[in-house]
């Protein structure tokens, strides 16, 4: 009766409670379901990676025409028959039987909420998290995996390989040092029990700081590219504090080659708190971008050669003659690096460079190499490899093995000063080549000096006497007709005269043009395919000798390689520096099915 008389009061209380519920907050289970993988991982996580849509990545890997070609190759099929893979096939078959699902739809459903990996420095462990839209599937998978492991171990006489443990209402399975469990919609797999427990505690509402609580992580995450198929984060500061990569991060590498290629990158990496990776993929391309945050003063004075005094050194615009297979263009002030050797290298390495300076000076008429020659060359350079089109007017010997032409292209701030010494050096090298060739039975290289509309051309070609018949399957050295070309401020050193002529015209047309990237590498798939196809017979013979194959087997292997290369349209690498970041991008373009 009392309740009946006060129904208005109770109704009012119910309405007030309903309105206040959103302010109080969701239940513990609701909060847990909303937590991200980064919120489940401890703050001591040093590496974190995620794939938001594993099903799309899996489809790209398995269903793309390039993948189909690989799967159809004899080498791939033979590799699948390896005895080491037999136990894995047995586990897959057993899991399919227990789950009543084929492995691919099983994995797709198990990971349709994302796939995440973490490495924790405190527990010295790693963890894999898979989130499913089916709340029952992770538990079924965990149980089935434990059953299969138990049966497999029992077949080998071990009846106690799998331990079942309960932790705060969560069923976990321990197999050797590994632990796996279903934690709500998550499948958790770790090689450290402490790390798995930390993930479970975070899911159940624990208050321990997570990776997502870190300011650095959130700042890094905010820079993730839209549409990225995958993203990764690495705490560089923590690794440096642990002494990881101490030699690589040192100011002195004592390796001139590594210093020239990577010195500036290593300086930024030495000061960066973290590194991120963006992975972008679709049906025709795959791109990965490695990003480093920059800070003021991250490039020491001795390494100013890498990006330039103001840090804005851009590479020269690539020259792209017909048949270009590879093009590497960069900004590197070799003169500044050479003269900073005492600050960049130890005494032994610096002494070797000083000796090299003296030896190289002899090629340039005794002019000091580091003090006079290099400063006159300039910081912008290109390396090209070109599969030259067939020459319809060729009358000389045709080499059996066909090597693509190559060229090194320099931009000089003072071409008038450097040109005479470059010619002296070129003539000296040809003289040495003739002396060496005479002792080995090679014909003489004949020098020719020409004035062209685009500039000066000095070339050397093997002497062919009047009446000599054209030779087929000639020696490999007939691929070369070295040349030096000077076109405006451009210096071209090429392995063939034809390539030098082609580059002279292009260099004049785009003189002084640069790109934003500090370093740019381009690889052309069609030209690479042409270069390999031109040497198909030699590749088959080499395969027969090296692998012991019959000709039929070798032909199948080389034809498969050519088909794979034919599907690659292009590849490229960009190193770009801005005020806030240093970005290294790597990309591969694949021909669409229609092509």
């Amino acid at each position: 009766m009392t309740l009946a008389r006060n129904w208005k009061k109770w109704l009012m209380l119910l309405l007030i409670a309903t309105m206040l519920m959103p302010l109080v907050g969701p239940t513990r289970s609701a909060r847990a379901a909303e937590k991200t993988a980064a919120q489940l991982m401890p703050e001591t996580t040093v590496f974190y990676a995620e794939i938001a849509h594993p099903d799309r990545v899996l489809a790209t890997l398995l269903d793309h025409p390039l993948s189909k070609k690989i799967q159809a190759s004899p080498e791939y099929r033979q590799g699948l028959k390896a005895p080491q893979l037999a136990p894995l096939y047995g586990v897959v078959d057993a899991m399919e039987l227990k789950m009543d699902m084929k492995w691919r739809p099983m994995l797709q459903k198990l990971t349709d909420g994302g796939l995440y990996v973490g490495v924790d420095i405190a527990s010295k462990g790693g963890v894999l998290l898979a989130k499913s839209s089916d709340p029952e599937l992770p538990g079924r998978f965990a149980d089935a995996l434990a059953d299969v492991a138990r049966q497999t171990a029992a077949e080998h006489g071990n009846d106690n390989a799998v331990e079942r443990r309960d932790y705060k209402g969560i069923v976990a399975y321990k197999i050797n040092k590994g632990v796996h469990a279903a934690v709500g919609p998550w499948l958790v797999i770790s090689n450290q029990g402490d790390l798995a427990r930390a993930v479970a505690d975070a899911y159940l509402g624990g208050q321990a700081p997570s990776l997502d609580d870190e300011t650095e992580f959130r700042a890094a995450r905010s820079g993730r590219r839209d549409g990225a198929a995958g993203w990764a984060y690495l705490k560089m500061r923590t690794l440096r504090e642990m002494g990881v990569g101490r030699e690589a991060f040192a100011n002195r590498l004592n390796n001139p080659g590594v210093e020239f290629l990577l010195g500036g990158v290593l300086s930024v990496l030495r000061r960066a708190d973290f590194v991120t990776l963006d992975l972008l993929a679709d049906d025709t391309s795959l791109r990965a971008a490695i990003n480093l945050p920059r800070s003021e003063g991250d490039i020491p004075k001795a390494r100013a050669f890498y990006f330039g005094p103001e840090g804005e050194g851009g590479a020269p615009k690539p020259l792209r003659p017909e048949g270009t297979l590879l093009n590497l263009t960069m900004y590197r002030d070799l003169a500044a690096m050479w003269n900073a050797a005492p600050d960049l290298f130890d005494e032994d390495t610096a002494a070797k460079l000083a000796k090299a300076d003296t030896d190289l000076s002899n090629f340039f008429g005794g002019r000091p190499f580091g003090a006079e020659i290099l400063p006159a060359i300039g910081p912008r350079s290109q390396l090209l490899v070109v599969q030259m089109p067939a020459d319809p007017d060729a009358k000389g010997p045709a080499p059996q093995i066909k090597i693509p032409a190559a060229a090194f292209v320099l931009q000089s701030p003072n071409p008038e000063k450097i040109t005479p010494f470059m010619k002296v050096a070129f003539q000296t090298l040809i003289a040495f080549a003739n002396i060496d060739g005479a002792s080995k039975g090679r014909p003489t290289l004949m020098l020719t000096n020409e004035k062209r509309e685009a500039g000066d051309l000095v070339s050397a070609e093997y002497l062919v006497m009047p009446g000599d018949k054209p030779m087929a399957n000639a020696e490999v050295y007939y691929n070369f007709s070295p040349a030096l070309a000077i076109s405006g401020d451009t210096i071209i050193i090429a392995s063939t005269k034809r390539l030098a002529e082609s580059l002279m015209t292009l260099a004049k047309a785009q003189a002084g043009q640069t790109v934003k990237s500090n370093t740019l590498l381009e690889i052309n798939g069609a030209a690479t395919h042409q270069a390999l196809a031109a040497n198909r017979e030699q590749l088959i013979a080499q395969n027969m000798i090296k692998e012991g194959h019959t000709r039929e087997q070798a032909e199948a292997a080389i034809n498969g390689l050519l088909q794979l290369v034919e599907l690659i349209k292009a590849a490229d690498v960009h190193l770009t520096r801005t005020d806030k970041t240093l970005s290294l991008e790597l990309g591969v373009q694949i021909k669409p099915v229609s092509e």
Side-chain angles (χ1 to χ4, degrees):
M1 293 295 293
T2 302
L3 180 62
R5 287 196 303 268
N6 296 304
W7 67 272
K8 291 183 178 180
K9 175 181 177 182
W10 289 108
L11 179 59
M12 183 61 68
L13 289 173
L14 179 60
L15 290 173
I16 293 173
T18 302
M19 289 187 291
L20 290 177
M21 281 288 285
L23 302 179
V24 174
T27 63
R28 185 178 73 175
S29 60
R31 289 197 302 269
E34 294 169 1
K35 283 194 173 181
T36 65
Q39 291 171 330
L40 296 178
M41 295 185 187
E43 67 171 347
T44 50
T45 300
V46 70
F47 172 77
Y48 170 88
E50 63 181 32
I51 300 177
H53 301 285
D55 55 332
R56 299 178 189 175
V57 176
L58 188 64
T60 300
L61 290 176
L62 297 181
D63 300 335
H64 194 277
L66 178 60
S67 177
K68 295 291 186 184
K69 288 281 187 182
I70 295 174
Q71 294 171 42
S73 67
E75 291 79 8
Y76 180 86
R77 293 182 176 181
Q78 187 63 34
L80 291 179
K81 298 177 182 179
Q84 304 93 309
L85 296 179
L88 177 60
Y89 295 149
V91 170
V92 172
D93 291 342
M95 287 295 294
E96 289 181 339
L97 184 63
K98 283 191 171 293
M99 297 290 293
D100 193 24
M101 298 174 70
K102 288 296 184 180
W103 72 269
R104 183 166 174 176
M106 185 196 314
L107 289 182
Q108 288 176 333
K109 193 66 176 176
L110 187 66
T111 63
D112 60 5
L115 190 64
Y116 309 85
V117 174
V119 176
D120 177 48
I121 210 69
S123 63
K124 298 180 180 179
V127 64
L128 182 145
L129 304 179
K131 189 176 184 181
S132 176
S133 62
D134 181 350
E136 304 298 326
L137 187 59
R140 290 178 53 211
F141 187 91
D143 293 342
L145 185 60
D147 288 344
V148 170
R150 189 180 294 111
Q151 292 170 7
T152 303
E155 291 172 1
H156 293 82
N158 186 355
D159 295 326
N160 301 307
V162 180
E163 297 180 39
R164 173 180 167 137
R165 297 182 178 182
D166 292 328
Y167 181 74
K168 298 183 179 180
I170 295 172
V171 177
Y173 298 96
K174 185 175 184 297
I175 306 172
N176 294 325
K177 293 184 179 180
V179 178
H180 73 272
V183 181
W186 299 89
L187 174 69
V188 180
I189 301 176
S190 177
N191 65 338
Q192 291 291 342
D194 289 343
L195 180 55
R197 282 189 288 271
V199 171
D201 287 339
Y203 176 82
L204 295 173
Q207 299 302 310
S210 71
L211 175 63
D212 192 62
D213 292 326
E214 285 205 337
T215 303
E216 286 177 4
F217 177 81
R218 290 198 299 272
R221 185 67 182 272
S222 67
R224 175 178 172 164
R225 301 193 183 189
D226 293 337
W231 184 80
Y233 165 84
L234 179 66
K235 289 182 184 177
M236 287 304 306
R237 176 171 43 81
T238 301
L239 293 181
R240 286 196 303 270
E241 290 171 353
M242 295 172 57
V244 176
R246 184 176 287 109
E247 291 185 3
F249 297 140
N251 284 326
R252 297 190 177 201
L253 291 177
N254 300 325
N255 186 318
V258 175
E259 180 66 51
F260 181 75
L261 292 175
L262 298 174
V265 177
L266 293 175
S267 282
V268 177
L269 197 60
R270 185 171 179 262
R271 297 275 298 269
D273 289 331
F274 58 83
V275 180
T276 64
L277 168 71
D278 289 283
L279 184 66
L280 300 98
D282 57 35
D283 291 340
T284 60
S285 67
L286 177 67
R287 298 199 70 79
I290 302 170
N291 308 295
L292 296 170
R294 293 198 54 244
S295 58
E296 187 176 352
D298 54 5
I299 304 296
K301 185 177 179 180
R303 281 180 170 163
F305 75 89
Y306 202 90
F307 295 109
E310 303 299 325
E312 298 179 355
K317 182 179 179 180
L319 301 172
R320 299 185 181 98
E322 182 182 356
T324 299
L325 187 157
L326 178 148
N327 194 321
L328 174 62
T329 174
M330 65 177 68
Y331 180 101
R332 298 289 189 282
D333 191 343
L334 184 57
M337 172 185 149
W338 195 272
N339 292 316
D343 297 320
L344 291 171
F345 310 112
D346 61 15
E347 292 184 6
D348 184 54
T349 304
K352 290 178 180 178
L353 288 178
K355 183 179 184 305
D357 189 285
T358 301
D359 294 340
L360 290 169
S361 296
N362 294 329
F363 281 93
F364 293 91
R367 312 304 298 184
F369 182 72
E372 189 170 334
I373 300 300
L374 283 181
I377 288 178
R380 293 182 171 89
S381 61
Q382 295 185 59
L383 171 67
L384 296 96
V385 179
V386 182
Q387 180 64 20
M388 297 293 293
D391 184 3
D393 300 324
K395 298 179 181 179
Q400 182 179 21
I401 299 175
K402 298 172 179 60
I403 299 176
F408 195 48
V409 183
L410 309 167
Q411 289 184 353
S412 173
N414 194 346
E416 294 81 8
K417 181 177 181 179
I418 192 65
T419 294
F421 300 111
M422 293 298 295
K423 289 182 177 180
V424 168
F426 183 78
Q427 293 169 357
T428 303
L429 286 172
I430 297 302
F432 278 121
N434 279 331
I435 293 172
D436 179 70
S439 66
K440 297 177 180 177
R442 291 198 304 266
T444 301
L445 282 165
M446 296 294 293
L447 275 169
T448 304
N449 287 274
E450 304 176 62
K451 284 280 188 182
R452 300 289 185 89
E453 181 180 350
D456 296 343
L457 177 65
V458 183
S459 60
E461 297 180 275
Y462 284 104
L463 179 64
V464 177
M465 299 301 294
D468 286 353
K469 294 181 180 181
M471 290 186 293
N473 300 326
E475 296 291 339
V476 68
Y477 51 76
Y478 281 107
N479 282 286
F480 304 102
S481 54
L484 169 69
I486 312 293
S487 178
D489 65 352
T490 302
I491 301 170
I492 301 164
I493 305 167
S495 66
T496 70
K497 181 180 179 180
R498 286 182 64 213
L499 178 56
E501 292 171 332
S502 175
L503 292 175
M504 287 176 73
T505 304
L506 290 174
K508 185 176 181 180
Q510 59 186 60
Q513 297 183 35
T514 62
V515 296
K516 290 183 179 180
S517 297
N518 167 271
T519 305
L520 172 60
L521 170 66
E522 298 175 334
I523 299 175
N524 183 282
T528 303
H529 180 270
Q530 292 172 8
L532 293 172
N535 293 285
R536 179 176 176 274
E537 285 301 318
Q538 285 69 37
L539 292 171
I540 290 172
Q542 185 180 25
N543 183 275
M544 292 172 64
I545 295 171
K546 187 175 179 180
E547 304 295 336
H549 287 166
T550 64
R551 180 173 179 84
E552 183 179 359
Q553 292 172 323
E555 283 182 345
I558 299 305
N559 289 341
L561 172 64
L562 291 172
Q563 290 174 359
L564 286 176
V565 173
E566 193 173 20
L567 289 173
I568 305 297
K569 191 172 185 177
D572 60 87
V573 179
H574 295 253
L575 178 65
T576 306
R577 180 181 185 264
T578 68
D579 291 339
K580 295 182 178 180
T581 61
L582 179 66
S583 177
L584 178 65
E585 289 197 27
L586 303 89
V588 177
Q589 298 178 50
I590 303 170
K591 288 184 179 179
V593 179
S594 58
E595 295 186 24

